[in-house]
């Protein structure tokens, strides 16, 4: 009996931990999250979706300090001579449909991302991969053509089930509207435009989640999300600064004003003939933007002025040209390039008015407000800049757009594939041979001093030949019901504030 009793007690505790904790109405405990709409859930193609982390896992993962830790792989080795990583999967991990996870799933996923026919913006992360070998069902090896110190970061990529996706179209398969993963939650229903309901995975390898259900309620408008937080229809939402400040110090709510690596800037479309003719005027655009005024008026002080893509990274170079707000300098650059002020208050060159349109994706009020503020500042120095909200972004045809990028992870992330010539996330057509060279050399060394040297050179060249007019980094203003516990407020989040759910299996919500 003495030997059996502790086992029985442990089993009872385990059942209690994984059992439902009913609310006052007798329903399982649920967290309702205010979410933008989804047309698909496809982590191989779409990087910036918060829901990915709840449904899927990668071979590696990130902890609350954004350091790489084991994920589906419990361990790995790196053979420097052969430039080969070998990963050992955890035993006993199953997909949400009960099928076992194997090394074949890993090989299938990365090869699908690498396949140019699938058009994944993540493909540049794996372009060094020459061969993927399934050693056995629990072991997979990646041989690279050259060292890539960020490779362990990129193995946080969600692994997808081969048995459900083999032979399917990786852009349009029905799987991406009924996804099956290995994550802490599994999808149980999806009412398009209304909600996505997730249920906890009792077999999750990090332990059974404490919250029974998480409901992604589709509420695309920030104002509506704020109203529904106040009424109790939502438990958690990412709000714009104006709505978030209304919850500060209010009983029943907690405001998480979290730092991010998420920046905003004006992307110049170098496929557009306008920038072929006027590329030399971009420094004037950069000098005309009053970043501090935008941070004060639009972000209510919750952000910082941006001058480059690595300001939250250990390899940031703070000594590069920042193009501080200087309208007089902006005019000097314009006039030195042969621009002449017209009677209507705007410059012309060779008979053509200097001005352009900033396209902004609808649905993100902070982007719209930032773009409109920047456009007014540009008009004030004589550049006729306006803002357009197209129904669909025309990446090849637009003149410019209010872009957002940023990663809290390795410096290679959101630089190599964003600024490298013809890379998967280079939506501006930007091309600079020195930038390509420095980014390649930086990813091929694991010596921090060497990497610092090349990232310094990269940032200097990017400042000398700007692809964007960097404007600001924005904080992530999450507001939650005080019933929710477990959010890690000090984690630096990524693009679109993604990353808050990294430890979701530890969260709790009370009645």
């Amino acid at each position: 009996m003495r030997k059996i009793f502790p086992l029985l007690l442990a089993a009872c505790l385990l059942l209690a931990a994984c059992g439902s904790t009913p609310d006052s109405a007798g329903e399982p405990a649920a967290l309702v999250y205010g979410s933008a709409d989804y047309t698909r859930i496809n982590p191989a193609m779409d990087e910036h979706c918060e829901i990915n982390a709840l449904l899927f896992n990668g071979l590696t993962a990130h902890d609350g300090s954004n350091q790489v830790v084991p994920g589906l792989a419990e361990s790995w080795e790196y053979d420097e001579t052969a430039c080969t990583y070998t990963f050992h999967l955890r035993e006993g991990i199953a997909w949400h449909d009960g099928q076992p996870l194997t090394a074949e799933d890993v090989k299938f996923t990365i090869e699908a991302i690498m396949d140019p026919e699938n058009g994944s913006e993540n493909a540049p992360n794996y372009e060094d991969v020459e061969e993927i070998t399934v050693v056995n069902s629990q072991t997979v090896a990646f041989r690279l053509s050259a060292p890539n110190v960020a490779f362990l970061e990129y193995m946080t990529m969600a692994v997808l089930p081969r048995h459900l996706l083999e032979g399917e179209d990786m852009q349009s398969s029905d799987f991406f509207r009924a996804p099956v993963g290995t994550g802490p939650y599994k999808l149980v229903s999806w009412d398009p435009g209304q909600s996505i309901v997730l249920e906890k995975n009792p077999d999750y390898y990090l332990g059974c989640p404490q919250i029974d259900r998480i409901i992604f309620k589709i509420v695309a408008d920030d104002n509506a999300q704020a109203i529904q937080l106040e009424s109790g229809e939502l438990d958690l939402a990412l709000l714009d600064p104006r709505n978030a400040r209304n919850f500060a110090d209010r009983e029943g709510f907690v405001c998480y004003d979290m730092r991010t690596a998420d920046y905003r800037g004006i992307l110049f479309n170098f496929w557009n003939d306008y920038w072929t003719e006027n590329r030399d005027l971009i420094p004037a655009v950069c000098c005309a933007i009053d970043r501090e005024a935008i941070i004060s008026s639009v972000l209510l002080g919750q952000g910082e002025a941006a001058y480059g893509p690595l300001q939250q990274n250990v390899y940031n170079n703070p000594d590069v040209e920042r193009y501080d707000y200087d309208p007089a300098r902006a005019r000097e650059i314009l006039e030195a390039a042969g621009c002449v002020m017209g009677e209507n208050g705007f410059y012309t060159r060779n008979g053509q008015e200097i001005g352009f349109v900033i396209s902004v994706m609808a649905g993100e009020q902070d982007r719209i407000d930032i773009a409109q503020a920047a456009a007014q500042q540009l008009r004030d120095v004589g550049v006729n800049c306006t803002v357009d909200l197209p129904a669909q972004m025309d990446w090849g045809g637009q003149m410019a757009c209010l872009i957002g990028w940023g990663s809290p992870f390795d410096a290679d992330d959101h630089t190599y594939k964003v600024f490298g010539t013809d890379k998967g996330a280079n939506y501006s057509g930007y091309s600079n041979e020195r930038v390509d060279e420095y980014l390649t050399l930086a990813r091929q060394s694991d010596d921090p001093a060497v990497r610092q040297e090349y990232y310094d050179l990269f940032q200097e060249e990017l400042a000398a030949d700007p692809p964007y007019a960097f404007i600001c980094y924005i904080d992530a203003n999450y507001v939650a019901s005080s019933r929710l516990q477990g959010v890690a407020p000090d984690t630096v989040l990524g693009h679109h504030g993604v990353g808050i759910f990294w430890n979701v299996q530890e969260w709790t919500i009370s009645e």
Side-chain angles (χ1 to χ4, degrees):
M1 258 333 250
R2 289 179 182 175
K3 293 181 180 180
I4 296 174
F5 177 74
L7 295 176
L8 290 174
L9 177 60
C12 290
L13 290 173
L14 181 61
L15 287 172
C18 289
S20 297
T21 305
D23 60 21
S24 58
E27 295 293 328
L31 164 68
V32 183
Y33 174 65
S35 174
D37 206 355
Y38 285 81
T39 57
R40 66 181 186 182
I41 300 173
N42 186 344
M45 305 295 138
D46 306 327
E47 181 181 357
H48 313 297
C49 297
E50 193 73 83
I51 202 168
N52 291 346
L54 282 76
L55 296 170
F56 298 98
N57 301 111
L59 291 185
T60 60
H62 290 110
D63 63 13
S65 300
N66 291 322
Q67 299 301 304
V68 174
V69 296
L72 295 176
E74 61 184 355
S75 63
W76 55 82
E77 303 93 44
Y78 177 57
D79 182 337
E80 187 173 351
T81 303
C83 208
T84 298
Y85 289 87
T86 302
F87 296 88
H88 305 281
L89 275 63
R90 298 175 189 269
E91 296 282 350
I93 294 182
W95 295 100
H96 293 153
D97 65 0
Q99 293 296 309
L101 168 79
T102 73
E104 292 285 359
D105 296 309
V106 178
K107 183 175 189 287
F108 169 81
T109 300
I110 304 304
E111 286 183 341
I113 294 171
M114 293 170 59
D115 186 346
E117 293 295 319
N118 291 329
S120 173
E121 69 178 15
N122 297 307
N125 296 349
Y126 310 100
E127 66 180 33
D128 304 322
V129 176
E130 283 200 333
E131 183 180 22
I132 306 175
T133 303
V134 172
V135 180
N136 56 50
S137 65
Q138 299 301 112
T139 309
V140 60
F142 293 81
R143 181 168 61 84
L144 309 187
S145 60
N148 181 352
V149 72
F151 191 70
L152 291 177
E153 295 275 358
Y154 296 143
M155 297 319 291
T156 60
M157 170 58 64
V159 178
L160 301 175
R162 176 189 174 192
H163 68 282
L164 295 177
L165 274 168
E166 191 167 31
E168 293 283 304
D169 187 308
M170 293 298 292
Q171 289 284 351
S172 61
S173 172
D174 287 342
F175 172 89
F176 300 115
R177 284 169 290 279
V180 172
T182 58
Y185 287 84
K186 51 188 175 182
L187 190 146
V188 294
S189 67
W190 186 344
D191 184 2
Q194 299 298 316
S195 65
I196 302 173
V197 180
L198 310 179
E199 186 178 89
K200 68 182 179 182
N201 174 11
D203 300 318
Y204 186 50
Y205 76 91
L206 288 177
C208 179
Q210 301 299 303
I211 297 175
D212 296 284
R213 290 180 299 156
I214 295 181
I215 300 169
F216 275 57
K217 185 177 182 183
I218 309 306
V219 187
D221 180 75
D222 283 341
N223 295 323
Q225 287 193 7
I227 291 170
Q228 293 191 24
L229 271 168
E230 191 159 11
S231 68
E233 295 172 75
L234 297 179
D235 300 305
L236 176 67
L238 175 60
L239 299 182
D240 64 277
R242 292 188 186 280
N243 276 303
R245 73 173 177 178
N246 293 329
F247 291 89
D249 302 319
R250 285 187 56 183
E251 185 177 356
F253 298 96
V254 179
C255 294
Y256 298 98
D257 299 328
M258 301 177 71
R259 193 159 60 97
T260 79
D262 191 14
Y263 62 80
R264 299 289 179 267
I266 300 172
L267 170 152
F268 305 105
N269 180 16
F270 296 105
W271 288 303
N272 189 297
D273 291 341
Y274 182 83
W275 297 112
T276 303
E277 300 167 7
N278 295 296
R279 188 167 183 152
D280 58 330
L281 304 184
I282 289 175
V285 174
C286 296
C287 290
I289 297 173
D290 188 345
R291 295 163 181 80
E292 295 299 340
I294 290 174
I295 292 166
S296 176
S297 64
V298 177
L299 303 182
L300 305 183
Q302 295 182 320
E304 66 176 274
Y307 54 82
L310 293 176
Q311 284 172 237
Q312 306 297 348
N313 196 278
V314 294
Y315 293 113
N316 181 52
N317 181 355
D319 299 322
V320 298
E321 167 67 76
R322 299 192 179 197
Y323 295 106
D324 292 330
Y325 177 55
D326 190 341
R329 183 184 174 196
R331 293 187 185 97
E332 288 173 4
I333 294 171
L334 290 164
E335 292 170 8
C339 298
V340 178
M341 178 62 74
E343 293 182 0
N344 63 352
F346 297 120
Y347 282 101
T348 63
R349 181 161 70 166
N350 300 324
Q352 300 296 317
E353 187 174 81
I354 299 302
F356 60 95
V357 178
I358 304 174
S359 298
V360 186
M361 291 175 280
E364 289 191 48
Q365 191 60 49
D366 60 345
R367 289 201 197 207
I368 297 169
D369 293 343
I370 290 168
Q372 289 176 337
Q376 181 59 59
Q377 293 166 0
L378 285 162
R379 289 194 296 272
D380 289 343
V381 300
V383 176
N384 189 8
C385 184
T386 57
V387 175
D388 179 46
L389 277 65
Q392 186 171 354
M393 297 295 284
D394 177 9
W395 293 107
Q398 66 189 353
M399 299 183 76
C401 83
L402 206 292
I403 194 69
W405 279 115
S407 168
F409 309 128
D410 189 273
D412 189 77
D413 194 22
H414 289 205
T415 55
Y416 185 81
K417 71 180 181 182
V418 171
F419 302 109
T421 301
D422 296 330
K423 300 306 180 188
N426 183 340
Y427 295 120
S428 67
Y430 180 77
S431 181
N432 181 309
E433 289 183 0
R434 292 190 183 93
V435 164
D436 295 342
E437 177 187 1
Y438 300 146
L439 287 174
T440 299
L441 292 169
R443 70 170 8 201
Q444 290 180 351
S445 176
D446 60 1
D447 184 335
V450 173
R451 299 195 82 199
Q452 185 70 66
E453 175 187 356
Y454 288 122
Y455 281 122
D456 281 352
L457 290 170
F458 154 68
Q459 291 166 87
E460 289 167 8
E461 187 60 32
L462 209 68
D465 179 29
Y468 303 162
F470 292 97
I471 298 177
C472 57
Y473 282 78
I474 64 174
D475 294 348
N477 296 283
Y478 280 98
V479 178
S481 164
S482 58
R483 300 182 302 115
L484 177 65
Q485 301 292 319
V487 173
D490 297 325
T491 298
V492 178
L493 303 181
H495 187 36
H496 293 312
V498 168
I500 194 170
F501 285 110
W502 73 270
N503 66 334
V504 67
Q505 71 279 354
E506 300 172 5
W507 292 9
T508 61
I509 190 163
S510 59
E511 294 182 21

